[in-house]
Amino acid sequence: MTLLKSLFSRRWLSGTLLVLFAMGLFARLGIWQLDRLEERRAQNEQLRSMLDAAPLDLAQTLPQTEEALENRLATVTGRYDFAEERIVLLQSWQGRVGVLLVTPLLIEGLDDTAVFVNRGWVPQAEYEAGQLEKYHTETGNVQVAGYLVQGQSRRGDSPEIAPKEIYRTDLEAL
């Protein structure tokens, strides 16, 4: 009883209140972490169900909302529009510097509709030497199977037309 009286005496009151406040704060932060864990598990379960679903055929079913496309497996048939290809600069793969080739694929049977396909990483030396033409071998109709993701949007003003060399896949600008 004397210990309790001494902790709440004038000499120790501010320290005791600070410790009690810190204990309450840490307990609340622990509960917050458990809430975040539940949210993350729910997001992971939703992602798992999207990935386990049958792939969308974009030529047959083109959903109207971006949310219906996010994190889905899809297949599409069309032809690459190499004239509108974009180069995503400053990309690394296994510790090596290079670029990504992002090319629009014009969907067969759908006029003026395209999806951008990340066709892969190219070493910086080949890009600087102008050797990208050797990656333009897929002429005519091709079938592509892949994973759908949204691009990285710009913050701020309305998008400008994306130049050939870009630093992110801003779909509005593309």
Side-chain angles (χ1 to χ4, degrees):
M1 191 66 163
T2 53
L3 177 64
L4 202 63
K5 283 184 181 180
S6 65
L7 286 177
F8 286 100
S9 68
R10 285 184 171 260
R11 182 177 174 193
W12 294 100
L13 182 62
S14 60
T16 302
L17 292 177
L18 180 64
V19 167
L20 291 174
F21 175 77
M23 288 171 53
L25 176 67
F26 292 144
R28 178 63 191 120
L29 287 174
I31 292 169
W32 173 66
Q33 285 292 328
L34 292 173
D35 290 343
R36 283 190 57 210
L37 174 65
E38 280 304 311
E39 288 174 11
R40 190 67 172 169
R41 285 181 175 163
Q43 289 172 348
N44 288 344
E45 188 57 38
Q46 179 184 10
L47 178 61
R48 186 176 293 117
S49 69
M50 296 292 279
L51 292 175
D52 288 342
L56 290 175
D57 182 355
L58 294 181
Q60 301 296 321
T61 308
L62 196 58
Q64 299 300 316
T65 64
E66 292 177 4
E67 292 80 24
L69 292 172
E70 185 71 18
N71 298 323
R72 290 292 306 263
L73 295 174
T75 60
V76 64
T77 301
R79 61 179 171 74
Y80 286 116
D81 184 3
F82 293 114
E84 295 298 322
E85 184 171 68
R86 298 297 189 260
I87 311 300
V88 184
L89 302 171
L90 302 175
Q91 303 298 307
S92 65
W93 181 66
Q94 295 183 345
R96 297 171 43 208
V97 179
V99 298
L100 290 177
L101 301 179
V102 178
T103 311
L105 181 78
L106 300 170
I107 300 174
E108 182 181 35
L110 297 177
D111 294 333
D112 299 327
T113 304
V115 293
F116 281 91
V117 178
N118 178 347
R119 294 191 316 117
W121 180 87
V122 175
Q124 186 73 23
E126 288 185 25
Y127 170 64
E128 289 174 354
Q131 299 175 349
L132 296 182
E133 291 298 320
K134 69 181 182 180
Y135 297 103
H136 296 171
T137 59
E138 297 153 319
T139 58
N141 280 347
V142 295
Q143 184 174 25
V144 177
Y147 177 74
L148 299 173
V149 295
Q150 292 181 2
Q152 301 166 332
S153 61
R154 293 178 59 125
R155 292 186 182 105
D157 300 333
S158 62
E160 304 167 1
I161 301 299
K164 289 287 188 184
E165 297 175 330
I166 57 178
Y167 293 98
R168 66 182 172 277
T169 53
D170 181 2
L171 293 181
E172 290 181 31
L174 292 174

